[in-house]
Amino acid sequence: MSSYIVWKYAHLLMFVFWVGTDMGVFLAARRCTDPKLSFATRVTLLHMALRIELLPRTMWEAALPFGVMLSRDMGLLPISTGMLAAVWVFSIAWWAISMTGAWFYDKSFGHRLGRITNVLTLLVGGCLIALALSSAAGHGPIAADADWLQIKVGLYGLINLLVVWMIVAFDPLGAAFGRLAVEGSRPEIESIISQTMNRSALIIWATYVLIVVVGFIGTTKLAG
């Protein structure tokens, strides 16, 4: 079995577990905004959403090394062994910092790791968009005749930027639930919770659309 087949299969699984499980995160988070539910139920739903989110988070970050391996095996991304090792080391570190911050989301050091994760994610997104634009201009590193891959890489970079935007947009929910625990359900607090979820939902659905588009381009090579 060739390594290309292995990485292609891993790439497919990544998309399935990314979008599929993230939909569970979205539905649980959306349900926790219902003021008709008890506070304990709402907190449980929110906690479940944050725990389920660990799987799509892993898949989203695995897209970087998986994509590099698949592109290399297709002969569309010339990359040295040293650079390939650097991609894997960075990806594992990015994932470890991200997962630790997400697991300890209610701790101060978890918040600090979350901020580091956001910076790393912005770095990944910006660099991938820059590489896609450089390749489209004929400067590499992606093969000049693989315009579909250039677009795919650029869109994945954009997804990373949207992920950070979504995290920032979602952030007020934690403080609102803290107030909810102390003050009880009040129109002002419920308004913050619902507005936060509505803003986040727009970004989440935009991300889903981009993931579907990226998967379609990668499968059909339509742009090429």
Side-chain angles (χ1 to χ4, degrees):
M1 182 184 296
S2 69
S3 60
Y4 166 76
I5 296 297
V6 173
W7 290 113
K8 183 177 181 180
Y9 180 64
H11 217 57
L12 291 173
L13 286 181
M14 177 204 70
F15 278 111
V16 170
F17 284 103
W18 184 355
V19 180
T21 54
D22 200 72
M23 182 63 71
V25 175
F26 173 73
L27 293 175
R30 168 67 79 178
R31 187 72 176 121
C32 81
T33 65
D34 187 351
K36 297 177 182 178
L37 300 177
S38 69
F39 176 73
T41 300
R42 296 171 74 177
V43 170
T44 299
L45 285 167
L46 183 59
H47 181 74
M48 285 176 55
L50 293 173
R51 285 294 179 256
I52 297 171
E53 193 264 344
L54 296 176
L55 185 52
R57 179 182 292 260
T58 297
M59 297 299 103
W60 139 55
E61 290 160 351
L64 176 60
F66 286 7
V68 168
M69 296 300 294
L70 187 59
S71 300
R72 184 201 63 164
D73 286 357
M74 294 174 69
L76 301 176
L77 181 66
I79 184 172
S80 66
T81 302
M83 183 58 69
L84 184 63
V87 169
W88 275 102
V89 169
F90 173 83
S91 299
I92 292 172
W94 180 30
W95 171 81
I97 293 170
S98 174
M99 292 291 280
T100 305
W103 185 265
F104 296 102
Y105 68 88
D106 55 345
K107 308 294 183 182
S108 59
F109 74 91
H111 295 165
R112 290 194 294 272
L113 291 178
R115 289 192 291 270
I116 294 173
T117 299
N118 289 345
V119 172
L120 293 176
T121 304
L122 287 173
L123 178 65
V124 170
C127 287
L128 289 176
I129 291 173
L131 289 175
L133 292 174
S134 173
S135 300
H139 305 304
I142 303 170
D145 59 348
D147 52 354
W148 64 270
L149 181 57
Q150 297 163 11
I151 295 173
K152 182 182 175 185
V153 169
L155 290 178
Y156 173 59
L158 179 58
I159 288 171
N160 277 271
L161 302 186
L162 285 177
V163 166
V164 175
W165 186 15
M166 184 270 294
I167 291 172
V168 172
F170 198 76
D171 190 60
L173 200 65
F177 265 81
R179 290 184 58 189
L180 193 66
V182 175
E183 304 173 33
S185 181
R186 295 172 50 191
E188 177 195 354
I189 299 174
E190 297 296 350
S191 177
I192 293 173
I193 291 174
S194 61
Q195 288 178 15
T196 298
M197 179 54 65
N198 290 337
R199 284 195 301 269
S200 301
L202 293 175
I203 307 170
I204 291 169
W205 281 106
T207 303
Y208 290 164
V209 170
L210 284 180
I211 295 171
V212 171
V213 171
V214 166
F216 181 76
I217 292 174
T219 301
T220 64
K221 315 294 188 293
L222 185 62

